[in-house]
Amino acid sequence: AAYRTACHLGDPSKQESKKGVRDDESDGDDDGDENGARGTKKRKKNKREFYITSPVVFDRLMATCLMNCQEEFHYHLLGDGSSGKGGTKDSKKANKSKKSNKDDSDSDSDDDGNTQTNTHTDENKPIHPRQLQKSPHYNTLHPYMESFFKSTLHLLTETGKEPRLQKFVLSALSKYIPYFSSFPRSSKPLLKACVKLWSAPLDTSQDYQMVRLQAFLRIRQLAITQPFPFIEECLKTTYLSYAQRSKFGTASNVTTVLPTLTFMGNCIVELYTLDYASAYQHAFVYIRQL
């Protein structure tokens, strides 16, 4: 709930509701018992609402959720917690620490030959939805994951965000992209948001170039990890956006626009080499249109 509030922090409705609740609370304190009871009901109704006024709290909340939620999703859906027989994650960590203290001498000699258990999924490896549905915690986590993805998507599509924040959110999303196979309704909006950032007005600043790069990496990751024929949607959307942005290149601004258009063209080539069969179909149509 706190993360959802942070992602919608810039919404005008949130600001109005925040002001309205404060006014209702003050009215409930100043008026009689009837208004006081009414204010208590509204406070109970909004007991899960959070009001974030400090930018430090906002930054720490975004960093904590985006960097750590994937570990919880992996543990309960694909890791040790997916079996439903193990204890809590904290108890398992305690048991692992006790076992590691006991076997320190043996582990030191075999550091080069053994690998540590990975708590992250392969970012470029698809996850079949049935694999997630096998976990007994899937039905419980599904609405929370859907809310998490929708809130993150809303944060990306909001205008006026700083390039540094957009870059951080896009970079952190790399760990969550494989899970979107179970949320097809969120995959296409995410693709549209990434394509919009990738083909945004030709901003040549260094900060936004990093946003453009991270947006393309997420597009490529979606094309690899999402079920077919999602890659065809990626090929179509990116090419049409590139063709539309190419119209803004003129002789007067060629020195500033050409590097960005060259980068976008290289991205198109990279994306079309992922699936030659799909690329042939799209290239055949677009070349005939020329």
Side-chain angles (χ1 to χ4, degrees), residues 24-284:
D24 291 336
E25 290 179 354
S26 61
D27 292 341
D29 293 337
D30 295 337
D31 297 339
D33 296 336
E34 182 179 355
N35 291 337
R38 188 179 304 170
T40 303
K41 289 182 179 179
K42 291 186 176 182
R43 283 193 294 270
K44 288 182 178 180
K45 184 179 180 180
N46 298 324
K47 63 181 179 180
R48 298 191 65 181
E49 291 290 336
F50 294 85
Y51 301 112
I52 303 172
T53 57
S54 172
V56 177
V57 174
F58 175 83
D59 293 342
R60 291 182 178 179
L61 176 61
M62 298 299 295
T64 301
C65 292
L66 287 173
M67 299 303 294
N68 297 327
C69 283
Q70 188 273 340
E71 296 182 4
E72 298 298 327
F73 296 159
H74 176 85
Y75 174 79
H76 292 290
L77 296 177
L78 301 172
D80 296 335
S82 61
S83 61
K85 297 179 181 180
T88 61
K89 192 173 182 180
D90 294 336
S91 63
K92 284 188 173 291
K93 285 184 178 180
N95 293 334
K96 287 182 180 179
S97 62
K98 291 180 181 179
K99 186 176 180 180
S100 62
N101 292 333
K102 182 179 179 181
D103 300 333
D104 277 342
S105 58
D106 296 335
S107 61
D108 291 339
S109 60
D110 297 332
D111 280 341
D112 296 334
N114 297 330
T115 57
Q116 195 175 16
T117 302
N118 189 12
T119 59
H120 301 279
T121 56
D122 188 354
E123 297 177 359
N124 295 319
K125 184 178 180 181
I127 299 178
H128 199 281
R130 293 181 180 178
Q131 188 177 358
L132 299 177
Q133 295 171 3
K134 290 180 181 179
S135 172
H137 307 293
Y138 177 78
N139 292 332
T140 303
L141 287 177
H142 187 272
Y144 294 103
M145 295 176 67
E146 185 176 13
S147 176
F148 178 85
F149 293 147
K150 287 183 178 180
S151 299
T152 307
L153 179 61
H154 177 81
L155 183 65
L156 280 178
T157 55
E158 217 175 8
T159 58
K161 292 298 181 182
E162 295 182 358
R164 293 178 60 186
L165 177 60
Q166 293 176 334
K167 173 190 172 184
F168 172 75
V169 175
L170 287 170
S171 178
L173 272 177
S174 62
K175 300 182 296 184
Y176 299 92
I177 295 297
Y179 294 93
F180 273 83
S181 58
S182 295
F183 302 90
R185 293 184 179 179
S186 300
S187 299
K188 287 187 177 181
L190 177 61
L191 174 63
K192 292 181 180 180
C194 292
V195 171
K196 185 177 180 180
L197 293 174
W198 171 72
S199 63
L202 300 174
D203 187 353
T204 58
S205 62
Q206 185 176 2
D207 290 340
Y208 196 82
Q209 292 299 329
M210 296 303 299
V211 175
R212 203 184 304 274
L213 174 61
Q214 290 295 330
F216 170 71
L217 292 177
R218 301 293 79 78
I219 296 172
R220 183 182 185 276
Q221 195 177 0
L222 282 169
I224 295 175
T225 58
Q226 301 309 299
F228 188 85
F230 192 84
I231 188 173
E232 295 189 351
E233 186 71 21
C234 296
L235 298 178
K236 176 182 177 181
T237 308
T238 51
Y239 175 78
L240 294 178
S241 298
Y242 171 71
Q244 182 180 5
R245 291 303 175 191
S246 299
K247 298 178 181 179
F248 291 94
T250 60
S252 59
N253 61 357
V254 64
T255 56
T256 57
V257 171
L258 186 59
T260 302
L261 291 179
T262 303
F263 167 76
M264 295 176 66
N266 293 334
C267 292
I268 293 290
V269 174
E270 168 69 20
L271 200 62
Y272 270 66
T273 56
L274 297 177
D275 190 336
Y276 291 109
S278 299
Y280 173 80
Q281 297 294 333
H282 287 271
F284 181 79

